[in-house]
Amino acid sequence: MAGLLCFRPGLPARLCYRPRRHTGRKGERRSLSETDYIRLLDGAHQLLKAPLIVVWDRLSTHTSKTMQALVAEREWLTVILLPGYAPELNPVEGLWAHIKRSLANLAARTLSELETLLRRRLKALQYRHTILGGFLAGTGLALDRPN
């Protein structure tokens, strides 16, 4: 699952996400690819109808040459990398922790059941702008530009 929290001064926070199902088949990719991430960003750009400044952790997929080439093709996209290991500065980490707590003591019988439940939880969060804003507040970062 990849998630993107979108913040803009004066507007409610937005949540965009993309799941990727891994069924365990031989040769199947277990993680999201550069193409999966860029599709998420393209979707966010279409939804928000605005240029994006993405603040990313240093996941190898985010920093690969392939991703750099995909980012360079999009003039509306600017990428800023977080320091080496700084989950406390990443508001999406708070989102995932919140979702994981909501799934505690869950015993899904199938992968489809788990995926459906996860999508419902994320969909419900999309309309809880104060909680989404709280994930940014939890980082201590601000959207204000320095003078």
Side-chain angles (χ1 to χ4, degrees), residues 110-128:
T110 65
L111 186 56
S112 294
E113 186 180 325
L114 177 61
E115 185 177 357
T116 299
L117 184 59
L118 185 58
R119 283 179 184 267
R120 282 187 191 144
R121 301 281 164 88
L122 288 166
K123 185 75 168 172
L125 267 179
Q126 283 182 311
Y127 301 103
R128 304 202 53 199

Side-chain angles (χ1 to χ4, degrees), residues 15-71:
L15 169 63
C16 302
Y17 58 90
R18 293 281 164 104
R20 177 173 172 73
R21 183 178 237 185
H22 173 64
T23 58
R25 293 188 183 121
K26 187 174 182 176
E28 181 183 34
R29 186 179 175 105
R30 297 180 64 182
S31 62
L32 282 91
S33 68
E34 290 88 349
T35 305
D36 295 320
Y37 283 107
I38 210 71
R39 284 185 190 142
L40 172 62
L41 295 174
D42 287 341
H45 176 63
Q46 290 296 317
L47 175 72
L48 301 170
K49 297 175 180 32
L52 300 180
I53 299 172
V54 178
V55 180
W56 256 341
D57 59 16
R58 292 183 181 262
L59 180 69
S60 60
T61 309
H62 295 166
T63 60
S64 72
K65 290 184 189 283
T66 302
M67 182 57 78
Q68 290 174 13
L70 291 168
V71 167

Side-chain angles (χ1 to χ4, degrees), residues 79-147:
V79 173
I80 298 169
L81 295 174
L82 288 170
Y85 181 75
E88 69 280 0
L89 297 177
N90 187 348
V92 177
E93 293 294 336
L95 168 75
W96 295 137
H98 179 80
I99 290 293
K100 287 176 187 177
R101 277 192 302 275
S102 78
L103 296 174
N105 299 318
L106 172 74
R109 290 173 289 212
T110 65
L111 186 56
S112 294
E113 186 180 325
L114 177 61
E115 185 177 357
T116 299
L117 184 59
L118 185 58
R119 283 179 184 267
R120 282 187 191 144
R121 301 281 164 88
L122 288 166
K123 185 75 168 172
L125 267 179
Q126 283 182 311
Y127 301 103
R128 304 202 53 199
H129 304 293
T130 54
I131 291 176
L132 297 177
F135 297 135
L136 177 65
T139 66
L141 300 174
L143 297 177
D144 302 328
R145 292 186 178 180
N147 294 332

